[in-house]
Every structure is written in structure tokens, then in C-alpha cells.
Amino acid sequence: MARENYVRFDWATKRLLRQKSNFVILEGFLSTLLGERIKIDRMLESEGNQQHAEDKFNRVDMLAENSKGELVIIEVQNNRELDYFHRMLYGVSKAITEYITKGEPYSQVKKVYSINIVYFDLGQGEDYVYHGNTSFEGIHKHDTLKLSLRQREQFIRENAGDLFPEYYVLRVNEFDKLAKTPLDEWIAFLKTGEIADNTKTSGLSEARELLRLDNLSPKERASYEAHLSALQYQRSVIQSGWIEGKAEGWAEGKAEGKAEGKAEGKVEGLAEGLAEGKVEGKAEGLIEGKAEGLAEGEKKKALTIAKQAKEMGMSIENILLLTGLKKEELPF
């Protein structure tokens, strides 16, 4: 395998894979993941199509319609978001409401697949690919609610839950195995950028040619390198803010703990002896001081990140999501 010969998938989805001539790569990926032949008819408008100064911070998303008239959302997220599951739900809900015309019958509500490729530890679990869907099960009989014969004929579905959105979460960083299945090959590519020379996995063989770095035009190459630099700088900003905030918290915690410990030790020493009071007071003060210092350090870390993100052009809304601060706490 060759490393670093291919562009990152997130950048490719933003710049290359929206072209009809390159749909074959996405079709191969979706067919492998969903376990059925998927053909993309067209790309639809979505927030991720917008090109603006916040591209380096914005998640990458695509909204496609397949040959069955179903909607497929593909989202790539590089940075941690505590409310990411809620955003998945919002994205699906928004797609459903945007792509039904007012006055149309509810039967025109489209089936939606939400594909989420995340490069952080989302949730808690041991697997690296998760599938979520809706199932209606009887409380007493424990049977599955199926569609009626007429409904099955009209909607080409078996169970009531089949009409509802389905979610896939690919926790790329959790993959640490040898790729033995076509899906594993895709996960390995998403994580490392490597594609086996002899791969026969749908979409990856085409990606070996279409996503090569040396196939990019000078303009595309410059855009790609800028994207990598932005990702690296963003990680550095977040990591630096975290380290600095933690260090300041420890330092302030120790200082405050020592001061409080001495004061408390003197008071207790009047009753129990100066020596014992110093020891106990200092210990309690250090513990309380560290806790307060760490809390304050977390706040300073968030403020540091907020300032740096503001300088880089991030919107107030995204800064609040990134740092967890309230609008009135921002220093600008």
C-alpha cells in the first residue's frame, strides 16, 4: 500500500465527489455500507455546499438523492461535539421537511439515510460502525409491526419501521484491525488514506485513480494543502488551549491551596495544636484549591480557544458550540 497518495475523504466530498462523473466512488461506498446497490441520481442543496471563510471549521456534508428517490446525508466531522447526536437528528428532520412540498400527502415524505463519519470518540461503545433504525415491537406479544398488504405494495417496504430514517455512525479512529471485509477496507481508507493495490472493493478501485494527489490541478492542490493546514492549526489551537488552561488551573490551585491551608491551619491550631492544624489545614486547602483551580482553568482554556477562533474568523454560534461558553461570557 502507498501512503499519502490520495486526498482526504472529507476534502474529496467537498470538492471532487459532487461531480456526476465521480459519483461511482460514493455509490461504491454507500453500496458497501448499506448492503445493497445504490445509484446516485443527483446532489441536492445543503449547508455543506456553501463555500465561505469558515470552511476549515465547518463540518463537511452532502445531500444526495438515489435512484429510489431516497435522501442520503453524508457528513464528515473532524472535531468533538457533545451534542452531535442531536445534530444528526436535526439534519434528518430538516431534510425531510425541506424536500416535501406544502400540501403534498404524507406518503411523499422521503426515506432518509444519515451517514456520519466522525474522527472523535462519539458516545461509548466497543465497535467502530453502528447502525440505528426504528422498530415497532409489541409490548405484550413482542411481535414486529408490519405494513398492510396495500401499504407494502405502495411503499415497497415490509415493516412499519422501514419507512423511518436510518442512521450510521462510523467511528473511524476506533478501527485498529486488519481490513478483511470490503467495509473494513473503506474504514481503513477513511482513517489512513491507504488503498490496497489489488482491491476489488466497490468504489475504492475507482478512488485509486480519481483521488490521487498527482491528479489535482495546481489550484486544487493549493486548496487541499490549505485544508490540511487549517485542520492542523485548528487541532493545535484546541490542544494548546486545553494544555494552557489545565496548567494554569493546577498552578492557581496549588497557590490557593497553600494559602488557605496555612490560614485554616492557624485557626485549628489554637484548639488542637499549631503543628496538627498546619498539616490538616494545608491538606484540605490543597484539595479544595486544586478543584477550584481546575474549574477556573477549564474556563480560561475555553476563553483562550474562543479568542483564537474569533481571530481565525469563526462565527459566534460555532465558537459557542466549540467552547461550551455562554454568549455573555465571551471576551468580545
Side-chain angles (χ1 to χ4, degrees):
M1 295 187 192
R3 289 199 62 141
E4 300 181 354
N5 283 335
Y6 309 100
V7 299
R8 282 175 56 98
F9 188 77
D10 57 349
W11 186 85
T13 56
K14 192 82 170 175
R15 311 289 179 177
L16 303 179
L17 302 186
R18 300 176 189 274
Q19 303 170 15
K20 193 174 184 64
S21 59
N22 294 339
F23 281 0
V24 62
I25 296 176
L26 283 178
E27 290 171 345
F29 168 64
L30 294 173
S31 297
T32 301
L33 179 63
L34 303 182
E36 61 176 288
R37 177 61 181 162
I38 300 295
K39 180 172 177 53
I40 297 175
D41 272 3
R42 58 176 178 151
M43 288 291 167
L44 303 174
E45 287 301 317
S46 68
E47 291 181 1
N49 286 338
Q50 301 171 7
Q51 307 294 327
H52 47 69
E54 290 180 16
D55 272 356
K56 55 183 173 294
F57 289 105
N58 190 26
R59 79 271 190 186
V60 177
D61 67 53
M62 304 176 71
L63 180 60
E65 185 177 55
N66 66 17
S67 57
K68 297 179 181 179
E70 301 167 330
L71 300 180
V72 181
I73 301 171
I74 302 174
E75 185 163 328
V76 184
Q77 176 67 27
N78 287 297
N79 298 308
R80 183 182 305 277
E81 288 192 11
L82 292 178
D83 58 354
Y84 187 83
F85 287 118
H86 296 80
R87 202 176 77 195
M88 287 167 51
L89 178 60
Y90 174 78
V92 167
S93 303
K94 187 176 182 182
I96 290 174
T97 56
E98 283 187 350
Y99 286 93
I100 184 171
T101 303
K102 187 175 181 179
E104 283 188 323
Y106 292 126
S107 60
Q108 297 304 306
V109 170
K110 296 179 181 292
K111 169 83 172 186
V112 181
Y113 294 93
S114 173
I115 315 299
N116 300 271
I117 303 170
V118 300
Y119 288 86
F120 62 93
D121 190 11
L122 177 61
Q124 185 174 5
E126 298 180 0
D127 211 325
Y128 48 93
V129 179
Y130 286 87
H131 175 218
N133 60 356
T134 300
S135 177
F136 293 89
E137 296 184 357
I139 294 178
H140 303 97
K141 302 294 185 179
H142 305 291
D143 61 328
T144 298
L145 182 63
K146 299 182 179 299
L147 296 175
S148 68
L149 177 60
R150 191 167 181 178
Q151 287 174 321
R152 290 200 296 271
E153 290 174 348
Q154 181 175 353
F155 305 128
I156 320 299
R157 304 282 180 182
E158 182 70 20
N159 300 319
D162 296 338
L163 299 172
F164 287 73
E166 295 186 34
Y167 300 85
Y168 288 84
V169 175
L170 282 61
R171 303 196 309 165
V172 176
N173 291 343
E174 301 303 310
F175 179 75
D176 59 358
K177 300 178 180 180
L178 183 66
K180 296 182 179 180
T181 67
L183 181 56
D184 281 354
E185 284 192 60
W186 264 106
I187 302 296
F189 168 64
L190 294 174
K191 181 176 182 178
T192 68
E194 297 179 359
I195 303 176
D197 295 335
N198 60 347
T199 185
K200 292 181 172 56
T201 296
S202 180
L204 281 181
S205 55
E206 291 81 4
R208 289 186 65 248
E209 300 302 322
L210 295 174
L211 301 187
R212 293 183 62 86
L213 276 171
D214 51 18
N215 284 343
L216 298 181
S217 67
K219 183 177 180 179
E220 289 173 331
R221 186 66 176 260
S223 173
Y224 181 63
E225 291 176 353
H227 173 73
L228 295 181
S229 297
L231 285 177
Q232 184 178 18
Y233 183 70
Q234 184 183 7
R235 293 192 188 100
S236 177
V237 167
I238 295 173
Q239 184 178 18
S240 296
W242 179 272
I243 293 173
E244 290 175 7
K246 188 173 182 179
E248 290 178 10
W250 276 102
E252 293 183 15
K254 286 183 178 180
E256 291 179 12
K258 287 181 179 180
E260 291 179 14
K262 288 181 179 179
E264 291 178 13
K266 288 181 179 179
V267 173
E268 292 180 10
L270 294 174
E272 301 179 5
L274 184 59
E276 183 178 346
K278 282 185 177 179
V279 173
E280 291 182 1
K282 187 174 182 179
E284 292 178 7
L286 281 172
I287 292 173
E288 294 178 5
K290 281 184 179 180
E292 293 178 6
L294 283 174
E296 188 172 340
E298 291 291 324
K299 179 72 171 294
K300 288 192 174 183
K301 173 201 71 177
L303 292 173
T304 299
I305 295 173
K307 290 178 181 178
Q308 293 171 322
K310 177 66 174 177
E311 292 173 359
M312 295 176 64
M314 182 183 287
S315 69
I316 297 298
E317 181 182 357
N318 284 343
I319 291 175
L320 296 178
L321 288 173
L322 177 64
T323 62
L325 292 170
K326 297 179 180 177
K327 191 170 183 180
E328 58 268 21
E329 294 177 320
L330 293 177
F332 43 79

